[in-house]
Amino acid sequence: MNINITILWSSIAFFIFTWSCWYFIWPPLVNAIRTRQQTIADGIENAETAARDLAQAEQQADEITKNARQEAQTILDQARSQASSMVEAAKSEAREEGERLKAAGVAEIEQEANRIREALRSDVAALAVQGAEKILESDIDGDKHREMLDKLAAEL
Amino acid sequence: MATGEVTSAEYIEHHLSNLTYGRMPDGTWQFAHNPAEAAEMGFWAIHVDSFAWSLGLGLVFLLTFGIVARRATSGVPGMFQCAIEMIVEMIEEIARDIFTYKNDYIAPMAVTVFVWVFLMNLMDLVPVDWIPHLATLLGIHYMRIVPTTDVNVTMGMALFVFAMILFFSVWKKGVGGFLAELSFHPFPKFLAPLNFVLEAVTLLTKPLSLGLRLFGNLYAGELIFVLICLLFSGGIVLTLSGVVLQWAWAAFHVLIITLQAFIFSILTVVYMSQAYDTGEDH
């Protein structure tokens, strides 16, 4: 176990090897590692941002869908109520029209009946006068008995 | 393998001897033929085997990581790039937690130290006779393939860390500030000499413990592998128990070599952080 000049050569070798590692090996190797770490960090960050964006977009989509559904429901409700009110209006109009037509018919019928009654009345008056003339065999003064005849006709 | 003419002691000594190249007392430069010759060569000798293996493994690290770094893509990485990046990120993250100052050199240094020391430790898992035996066949008599079992290699690294501690301390605090830090703690200022002695010991302990911890763990580990290998020259029972022990110790050693590489690397960062620390109170 001799201590000799090998000790000095080993020191020099130590320096040369560490210096070579520092000068030749370290920069490219560490640079590659750092660049990759940066790339990975960026990738993770991008993925996180994308996930956040996606969640936001999904929320927005949900909101839009919800709004659309609500709007559709409103429109549907409005349409339904409008339709029913239109039906109601049509019904009432039809009813009114019917009433009107019925009233007109009734009036016409009454008018006709009155007319016929008037005609009958005058006919009856004439027949009564003729009958009485025949019975009395004399003229009944039409003018004289007009009042009585009218009364008779009104009673019919 | 302990053959007939080699005793156990010789076998162990052979495995713990470095291939030493140096100047003999008679003035000739040559490889030492035995441990005694290696000792005679003194300080200027060099352990060719452990230094060559440490250089080679360091180059393996540099080339492997360099190729990956050159082809590094910031897109989807391949299997190999992923593995390299995992090591880099693990050590870098810890280094960044411990060393919070601005110095781009610390993290790559920590990664280099971790991988390099790990590779050097990993050689301990190669069965102890394979490569030395191959070397013997090629005519090289001594061959230790685990550089971190050579105290010169571990202490050499620790000494460079020590130099960096001194450099960064002086750079960040100034010579005066550094001396003040050594002298004015932990006791009041009038006990400055005592403080200085205490703090200087603390300072010197850092590289010593750093280098010797790694060396001690790996040296002990290798020695146990060598001892287990001695069993293989015994009978069938000893050989079988040797196989089991070899496996068990190797499995346990996987933990040790990783842990020691990690400790060396992280302690280096801690020491750098302390050198940068200009805080008034401790």
Side-chain angles (χ1 to χ4, degrees):
Chain A
M1 206 40 52
N2 312 310
I3 297 286
N4 56 31
I5 197 70
T6 314
I7 203 168
L8 196 65
W9 285 111
S10 297
S11 293
I12 295 167
F14 182 96
F15 170 68
I16 291 171
F17 285 142
T18 51
W19 183 86
S20 304
C21 178
W22 168 71
Y23 191 80
F24 294 112
I25 296 173
W26 206 251
L29 205 54
V30 169
N31 195 34
I33 295 174
R34 294 274 177 280
T35 313
R36 188 175 325 113
Q37 279 176 336
Q38 192 56 48
T39 314
I40 292 171
D42 287 351
I44 290 172
E45 205 185 298
N46 285 346
E48 273 170 6
T49 316
R52 248 198 325 270
D53 286 355
L54 181 65
Q56 216 166 6
E58 268 173 2
Q59 205 180 351
Q60 268 176 357
D62 276 357
E63 218 157 282
I64 289 170
T65 318
K66 212 172 72 183
N67 284 348
R69 202 170 290 140
Q70 259 174 4
E71 210 167 317
Q73 194 59 45
T74 321
I75 290 171
L76 207 59
D77 286 351
Q78 273 178 353
R80 216 169 266 150
S81 72
Q82 208 170 344
S84 68
S85 72
M86 269 166 80
V87 167
E88 282 304 313
K91 264 187 198 164
S92 67
E93 205 175 312
R95 202 177 290 127
E96 273 169 27
E97 184 70 15
E99 298 274 321
R100 205 172 49 78
L101 285 176
K102 204 167 90 184
V106 168
E108 209 173 323
I109 289 166
E110 246 165 43
Q111 218 174 353
E112 190 67 14
N114 280 342
R115 200 180 49 79
I116 290 168
R117 205 176 283 138
E118 286 301 318
L120 276 174
R121 206 174 275 151
S122 56
D123 282 355
V124 166
L127 278 174
V129 171
Q130 272 178 357
E133 269 176 358
K134 286 238 173 82
I135 294 165
L136 298 176
E137 284 184 337
S138 64
D139 271 349
I140 294 169
D141 188 353
D143 291 330
K144 229 172 160 179
H145 303 284
R146 177 64 58 193
E147 199 178 337
M148 197 255 304
L149 285 173
D150 278 350
K151 229 180 249 170
L152 186 70
E155 273 169 25
L156 284 171
Chain B
M1 198 89 12
T3 48
E5 61 267 26
V6 182
T7 65
S8 296
E10 281 168 349
Y11 176 75
I12 295 169
E13 191 183 15
H14 178 258
H15 266 290
L16 298 179
S17 299
N18 285 101
L19 178 66
T20 314
Y21 183 77
R23 188 169 172 274
M24 291 295 289
D26 60 18
T28 54
W29 287 85
Q30 61 175 60
F31 285 107
H33 294 100
N34 50 54
E37 274 187 18
E40 280 171 11
M41 286 173 175
F43 182 73
W44 296 103
I46 179 168
H47 289 161
V48 177
D49 49 359
S50 48
F51 185 59
W53 279 104
S54 80
L55 271 189
L57 292 166
L59 284 175
V60 166
F61 157 72
L62 277 188
L63 288 178
T64 315
F65 277 56
I67 288 169
V68 169
R70 189 155 291 272
R71 294 184 187 160
T73 165
S74 59
V76 180
M79 201 82 117
F80 198 51
Q81 193 189 337
C82 253
I84 300 290
E85 280 181 2
M86 272 164 73
I87 299 171
V88 166
E89 280 193 297
M90 178 187 81
I91 301 291
E92 197 227 354
E93 204 165 297
I94 297 169
R96 216 160 357 99
D97 283 347
I98 298 171
F99 186 88
T100 50
Y101 308 94
K102 176 101 192 77
N103 190 333
D104 293 339
Y105 185 64
I106 300 301
M109 185 188 69
V111 172
T112 309
V113 169
F114 175 70
V115 180
W116 189 27
V117 172
F118 176 77
L119 287 176
M120 292 197 285
N121 291 351
L122 194 63
M123 300 307 290
D124 215 4
L125 294 180
V126 178
V128 289
D129 275 319
W130 283 10
I131 293 174
H133 197 68
L134 201 64
T136 309
L137 292 180
L138 294 173
I140 302 166
H141 207 58
Y142 295 104
M143 179 57 68
R144 293 182 72 188
I145 61 166
V146 193
T148 41
T149 57
D150 184 351
V151 73
N152 289 290
V153 172
T154 61
M155 279 314 293
M157 296 167 73
L159 278 184
F160 189 76
V161 172
F162 185 58
M164 283 202 296
I165 293 173
L166 295 182
F167 174 75
F168 284 131
S169 293
V170 172
W171 186 33
K172 285 290 149 186
K173 302 159 188 168
V175 178
F178 184 41
L179 289 178
E181 187 191 62
L182 291 180
S183 306
F184 297 157
H185 297 285
F187 298 117
K189 285 186 183 179
F190 66 87
L191 285 174
L194 179 61
N195 285 333
F196 186 80
V197 171
L198 281 175
E199 289 292 314
V201 169
T202 309
L203 186 67
L204 290 173
T205 311
K206 286 177 181 174
L208 265 181
S209 64
L210 190 65
L212 291 182
R213 176 187 302 108
L214 181 60
F215 162 72
N217 274 283
L218 271 292
Y219 187 80
E222 195 203 24
L223 193 58
I224 288 175
F225 274 127
V226 172
L227 291 176
I228 290 171
C229 274
L230 278 177
L231 292 174
F232 295 149
S233 58
I236 180 77
V237 178
L238 281 180
T239 305
L240 281 179
S241 61
V243 170
V244 173
L245 280 173
Q246 169 91 19
W247 183 86
W249 183 241
F252 180 58
H253 218 58
V254 170
L255 292 177
I256 294 181
I257 62 175
T258 317
L259 188 66
Q260 287 304 322
F262 185 73
I263 289 174
F264 197 99
S265 158
I266 296 308
L267 270 184
T268 307
V269 178
V270 169
Y271 291 156
M272 293 302 107
S273 178
Q274 286 173 347
Y276 262 70
D277 184 12
T278 52
E280 275 69 36
D281 292 316
H282 289 282

